[in-house]
Amino acid sequence: MSGPAGLTIVRDVAGLRTQVKAWRAAGRTIALVPTMGALHRGHIQLMETARAKADAVIATIFVNPTQFGPNEDFGAYPRQEGKDASLLTTAGVDALFAPSPSEMYPAGFATKVSVAGLTDVLCGPFRPGHFEGVATVVTKLLLQALPDVALFGEKDFQQLAVIKRFTADLDIPVKIIGVPTVREADGLAMSSRNAYLSAEERAIAPMLFAAISKAAAAISKGAEPAAAVSEAKDAVLRAGFRSVDYIEARRSDTLSVLKKGEDGGRVFAAAYLGRARLIDNVAVG
Ligand code: AMP
């Protein structure tokens, strides 16, 4: 099935495999960019990076029910496939794979991909089952498309770490590429969930990035990580965030707690502003 000029829209796994087979026969390399839609410039950056890495780019849009908790925003999550298809066409994406929930999870579906350790920290305890949902759906998408490379944003840094872990552990023959976070001019990390913010909340939102950037700068100058992140937490609450799930300094590779003076750190945050749960992270140094 064809979408806007140049973009092929595929709804089922068989159609995806037919498309991939044709590209393989023509000797083309393939990049996969999984998303949940409601596309913004952060997603488009992934598409453009994908085009530079492979001959053909497949974007996927699937609001994956299994990665949302019972009290989370699955129902409210923004859906705008027509607009997304135009954005993907403009970005030079070749195919959009947009399956239905029943195509991804037919009756009787019973398998989960679970990653230990990396999912026990940060967002893990606050979103039980979330990373299993992500790991399972991304495993399926990778095996359905069998791309050469797949691209994911550093905005979801823990997700990227989890995906790198299970692709290595399960010998899935794909190179996982992380793409730096794309931000608004005031520093706010672009996110489909920013659409939930009122004008007043939108004005407060950049304080999260400002606070973790300040903490990261202090840590790189030798501050005690625990003190720096505690100060960031206070600043975010003072700015008007409703609650903070966590602001923590951890190692980028293992996500273990960062010790004072240790290299390779990152400050990670998740906080509620109104009904929006915003996450962000920045490198130390
Ligand atoms: P989502 O649609 O929110 O599931 O995101 C799909 C992909 O886009 C994930 O790999 C995200 O990490 C990535 N992404 C989302 N927001 C940004 C951003 N602001 N900058 C870079 N990548 C992003």
Side-chain angles (χ1 to χ4, degrees):
M1 191 165 87
S2 212
L7 183 74
T8 302
I9 300 182
V10 183
R11 302 280 174 196
D12 55 20
V13 177
L16 179 66
R17 292 210 161 116
T18 301
Q19 177 63 82
V20 166
K21 201 172 164 188
W23 283 332
R24 290 293 183 203
R28 295 175 79 179
T29 57
I30 296 167
L32 185 78
V33 186
T35 82
M36 297 204 298
L39 302 180
H40 50 66
R41 272 202 292 116
H43 296 115
I44 299 306
Q45 182 65 50
L46 298 189
M47 307 301 162
E48 284 169 1
T49 309
R51 284 185 67 196
K53 303 277 180 194
D55 303 322
V57 176
I58 306 167
T60 77
I61 296 181
F62 181 61
V63 184
N64 175 34
T66 67
Q67 71 189 70
F68 289 79
N71 300 317
E72 293 186 357
D73 57 345
F74 175 69
Y77 200 84
R79 290 159 171 92
Q80 47 171 55
E81 193 190 289
K83 188 177 168 201
D84 288 346
S86 315
L87 291 168
L88 293 172
T89 305
T90 306
V93 168
D94 299 281
L96 166 61
F97 179 50
S100 65
S102 62
E103 179 68 9
M104 291 299 273
Y105 303 114
F109 188 90
T111 301
K112 280 180 182 169
V113 177
S114 178
V115 177
L118 291 173
T119 64
D120 294 341
V121 300
L122 300 173
C123 282
F126 292 96
R127 303 190 69 188
H130 169 70
F131 287 115
E132 275 189 350
V134 170
T136 304
V137 81
V138 174
T139 299
K140 284 176 64 72
L141 292 168
L142 292 173
L143 295 177
Q144 288 161 353
L146 289 174
D148 300 278
V149 296
L151 295 92
F152 298 88
E154 288 186 349
K155 201 209 66 149
D156 302 280
F157 198 91
Q158 185 176 18
Q159 169 176 286
L160 175 62
V162 167
I163 291 167
K164 283 182 176 165
R165 184 74 261 159
F166 75 71
T167 51
D169 290 354
L170 298 178
D171 304 305
I172 301 177
V174 59
K175 184 176 178 200
I176 303 299
I177 298 174
V179 177
T181 303
V182 178
R183 300 180 179 281
E184 302 283 359
D186 59 13
L188 175 64
M190 291 200 170
S191 165
S192 307
R193 290 190 168 96
N194 292 350
Y196 300 154
L197 300 172
S198 68
E200 193 186 337
E201 289 160 355
R202 176 62 189 81
I204 295 169
M207 278 304 299
L208 187 63
F209 175 61
I212 61 174
S213 298
K214 191 175 168 193
I219 293 166
S220 72
K221 287 190 198 112
E224 173 65 53
V229 297
S230 163
E231 200 177 300
K233 193 172 164 180
D234 291 346
V236 162
L237 291 170
R238 267 199 315 274
F241 276 73
R242 180 157 64 84
S243 61
V244 174
D245 276 356
Y246 60 79
I247 299 184
E248 293 178 10
R250 290 184 173 267
R251 286 175 55 114
S252 295
D253 50 0
T254 58
L255 302 186
S256 59
V257 172
L258 187 72
K259 298 189 191 84
K260 187 175 173 178
E262 198 175 14
D263 287 338
R266 238 173 152 89
V267 179
F268 297 86
Y272 278 92
L273 183 53
R275 69 189 179 105
R277 184 177 187 273
L278 303 184
I279 63 169
D280 203 350
N281 66 89
V282 292
V284 172

